[in-house]
Amino acid sequence: MPTRSQRRRAVLVLPAFVAVLALAACSGSGATGADNVPPDDPPAPAATGTGPYPKPTTTAEVSPRATAPVRPPHGGIPVPASVDQEDASAVARGALIALHTYDTDVDPGRQQAALRMAAVGWTTAAYAAQQRAAQPRGGNGAAWTEWTRHRAYTTVKATPADEAGRPADTATTAYRQWTITITPRGRDGWTGEPEMSTAFVELTRPAAGKSWRLSALQVQ
């Protein structure tokens, strides 16, 4: 039986995993149909975990804003039908690759990739609505300006980075951590400096045996 001090440490550690989140970040050819329609959002799960994983999601009303048309990037992006949608890790990886695939020829900024990821069905309906309502934060930055000069697109490598403290999966909620490396490649033959980040993903589904969808995300 855990001692009083062990129970106290557990109580202090658990909230940290779910304490940080609100990313407004990030189609090519692929299957369409029922599997690519964002499912209804399940009830908000109880708070669990100990790290920079997203807080359990809640459904909120958001107002859409006008956006540029979502167009496929160079090389396309993965779609949900291309993976085992009952595998939370496979869904997280596919969504993150879609999220970080940019193309300066068709995208006005990085947020466009988030809209594209949601449009092909990687996310819950609530997360998709949040991305459609998200307001751009200032300009695109110096890196994007340089990419644009070379008419660059990105290639993406996603590497699992789960740690021992990751919250355990439940029937309807899962958390995953990935290291993301994106490399800009110009249509003029230029290759830019790679960018690396760590993504903490929350996935939810309505019930066991249903398809997982990205419901919240924190990128550092």
Side-chain angles (χ1 to χ4, degrees):
M1 177 179 295
T3 66
R4 181 178 180 182
S5 62
Q6 287 172 328
R7 290 195 299 270
R8 176 172 175 80
R9 284 197 299 271
V11 171
L12 293 174
V13 169
L14 286 177
F17 258 132
V18 293
V20 190
L21 174 60
L23 173 73
C26 353
S27 134
S29 58
T32 58
D35 285 342
N36 285 342
V37 176
D40 292 336
D41 298 308
T48 57
T50 56
Y53 287 96
K55 291 181 180 179
T57 53
T58 56
T59 301
E61 292 292 330
V62 291
S63 299
R65 65 178 179 83
T67 60
V70 176
R71 298 164 59 190
H74 177 88
I77 60 172
V79 295
S82 67
V83 305
D84 178 358
Q85 297 177 66
E86 293 185 40
D87 182 336
S89 295
V91 172
R93 180 180 183 275
L96 289 170
I97 290 175
L99 179 66
H100 291 88
T101 300
Y102 311 125
D103 187 340
T104 60
D105 264 13
V106 300
D107 297 336
R110 299 191 188 217
Q111 175 62 14
Q112 200 70 5
L115 301 176
R116 189 161 47 228
M117 173 188 66
V120 299
W122 284 114
T123 73
T124 63
Y127 189 86
Q130 290 169 10
Q131 297 311 304
R132 290 192 295 269
Q135 299 297 323
R137 298 180 179 180
N140 290 320
W144 187 270
T145 299
E146 183 178 22
W147 296 359
T148 301
R149 285 200 298 267
H150 296 282
R151 298 180 58 223
Y153 55 90
T154 59
T155 55
V156 186
K157 178 181 179 182
T159 305
D162 288 322
E163 298 177 347
R166 189 191 82 194
D169 292 354
T170 70
T172 58
T173 307
Y175 295 93
R176 295 292 186 269
Q177 179 178 337
W178 292 79
T179 298
I180 305 298
T181 304
I182 65 173
T183 303
R185 304 184 186 279
R187 287 173 169 83
D188 57 3
W190 170 85
T191 299
E193 189 72 21
E195 294 183 358
M196 293 186 65
S197 60
T198 301
F200 300 88
V201 184
E202 179 196 72
L203 304 107
T204 57
R205 58 183 177 178
K210 300 294 186 179
S211 298
W212 291 104
R213 289 294 182 264
L214 184 149
S215 55
L217 177 66
Q218 171 70 27
V219 177
Q220 295 181 346

